């Protein structure tokens, strides 16, 4: 399941975040790459232990916690500390798959989901689309600054060359309480349906209560919390 989540960061959040990360010491993006990714990756990245990445990551994590759609779609158990990259002058990230397990010191995470938050106005640069391959073909994603896309980390994906301007983004991985992508999709669809029924009938309606019970019983069956 690939899902776009609008306005995870507000315009003021984006401005504050860009002030932090733009002043950071950018370095070769292959500092965090595995052997296969290092052959495909051409970009710059903030060192993950640098002050700019740590402060920027805090802003991103705070925003994710305020996004009901992100929580409903990802059902996060763990979120890898957000990282930041930028592409310019023809830089790109060729087709690859993300590592199954991410490590940061003693912190270990199974990467069920990958996420990108776009941090630049899409009109300000050419290229830079995130291209995710799934059973239905390629999905090309280029969103407004502050918008997020979440997709299975098992997907083959790439970032197209940036031929004008600079593409700036935050990226990170999520270990979900619900490991199976199909089960997460069922829960998200059910959650959305419950919210629509509740908006029409009210939270105290018997049908809303029963559907909410079905949601939580499925979550109880599938979740690893």
């Amino acid at each position: 399941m690939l899902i776009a989540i609008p306005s995870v960061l507000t315009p003021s959040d984006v401005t504050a975040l860009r002030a932090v990360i733009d002043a950071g010491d950018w370095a070769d993006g292959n500092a965090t790459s595995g052997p296969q990714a290092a052959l495909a990756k051409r970009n710059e990245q903030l060192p993950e232990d640098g002050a700019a990445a740590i402060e920027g990551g805090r802003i991103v994590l705070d925003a994710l916690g305020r996004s009901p759609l992100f929580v409903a779609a990802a059902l996060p158990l763990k979120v890898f500390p957000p990282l930041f990259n930028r592409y310019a002058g023809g830089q790109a990230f060729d087709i690859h798959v993300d590592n199954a397990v991410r490590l940061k010191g003693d912190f270990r995470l199974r990467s069920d989901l990958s996420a990108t938050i776009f941090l630049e106005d899409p009109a300000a640069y050419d290229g830079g689309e995130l291209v995710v391959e799934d059973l239905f073909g390629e999905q090309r994603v280029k969103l407004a600054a502050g918008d997020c896309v979440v997709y299975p980390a098992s997907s083959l994906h790439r970032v197209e060359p940036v031929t004008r301007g600079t593409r700036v983004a935050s990226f990170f991985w999520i270990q979900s309480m619900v490991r199976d992508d199909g089960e997460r999709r069922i829960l998200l669809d059910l959650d959305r349906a419950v919210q629509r029924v509740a908006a029409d009938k009210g939270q105290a309606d018997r049908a809303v209560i029963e559907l909410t019970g079905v949601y939580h019983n499925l979550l109880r069956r599938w979740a690893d919390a």
Side-chain angles (χ1 to χ4, degrees), residues 9-26:
L9 294 171
T10 66
S12 60
D13 289 334
V14 173
T15 298
L17 178 56
R18 287 296 301 269
V20 171
I21 65 173
D22 288 353
D25 296 321
W26 294 81

Side-chain angles (χ1 to χ4, degrees), residues 105-128:
D106 294 332
F107 182 78
R108 181 188 301 267
L109 172 150
R110 183 187 69 236
S111 59
D112 297 321
L113 295 163
S114 298
T116 296
I117 299 179
F118 292 79
L119 298 175
E120 183 61 80
D121 180 352
Y125 62 99
D126 293 334

Side-chain angles (χ1 to χ4, degrees), residues 81-104:
L83 303 173
F84 301 89
N85 60 21
R86 66 186 184 188
Y87 296 78
Q91 290 177 323
F93 199 162
D94 297 334
I95 196 75
H96 65 284
V97 65
D98 291 338
N99 291 347
V101 177
R102 309 297 307 195
L103 300 172
K104 182 177 174 64

Side-chain angles (χ1 to χ4, degrees), residues 5-187:
I5 305 172
S7 302
V8 168
L9 294 171
T10 66
S12 60
D13 289 334
V14 173
T15 298
L17 178 56
R18 287 296 301 269
V20 171
I21 65 173
D22 288 353
D25 296 321
W26 294 81
D28 186 339
N30 276 315
T32 58
S33 298
Q36 186 181 69
L39 299 175
K41 185 177 182 182
R42 302 180 302 282
N43 66 9
E44 290 185 308
Q45 188 170 309
L46 281 180
E48 58 185 291
D49 293 324
I54 292 171
E55 174 62 16
R58 183 192 63 77
I59 295 172
V60 171
L61 290 174
D62 286 349
L64 293 175
R66 298 191 301 267
S67 172
L69 182 53
F70 171 79
V71 174
L75 294 170
L77 179 62
K78 301 178 185 178
V79 178
F80 197 84
L83 303 173
F84 301 89
N85 60 21
R86 66 186 184 188
Y87 296 78
Q91 290 177 323
F93 199 162
D94 297 334
I95 196 75
H96 65 284
V97 65
D98 291 338
N99 291 347
V101 177
R102 309 297 307 195
L103 300 172
K104 182 177 174 64
D106 294 332
F107 182 78
R108 181 188 301 267
L109 172 150
R110 183 187 69 236
S111 59
D112 297 321
L113 295 163
S114 298
T116 296
I117 299 179
F118 292 79
L119 298 175
E120 183 61 80
D121 180 352
Y125 62 99
D126 293 334
E129 295 86 357
L130 172 65
V131 183
V132 181
E133 296 184 7
D134 63 19
L135 295 176
F136 301 100
E138 293 186 348
Q139 299 192 61
R140 304 176 71 86
V141 184
K142 186 175 181 179
L143 302 178
D147 290 359
C148 178
V149 61
V150 176
Y151 58 96
S154 57
S155 303
L156 290 173
H157 56 280
R158 67 183 189 271
V159 175
E160 294 283 64
V162 174
T163 57
R164 178 184 65 87
T166 303
R167 176 198 195 266
V168 183
S170 175
F171 64 101
F172 50 95
W173 300 273
I174 303 138
Q175 180 172 329
S176 178
M177 290 187 289
V178 176
R179 182 171 186 163
D180 183 80
D181 184 63
E183 292 170 351
R184 283 195 308 273
R185 178 57 186 264
I186 290 170
L187 287 167

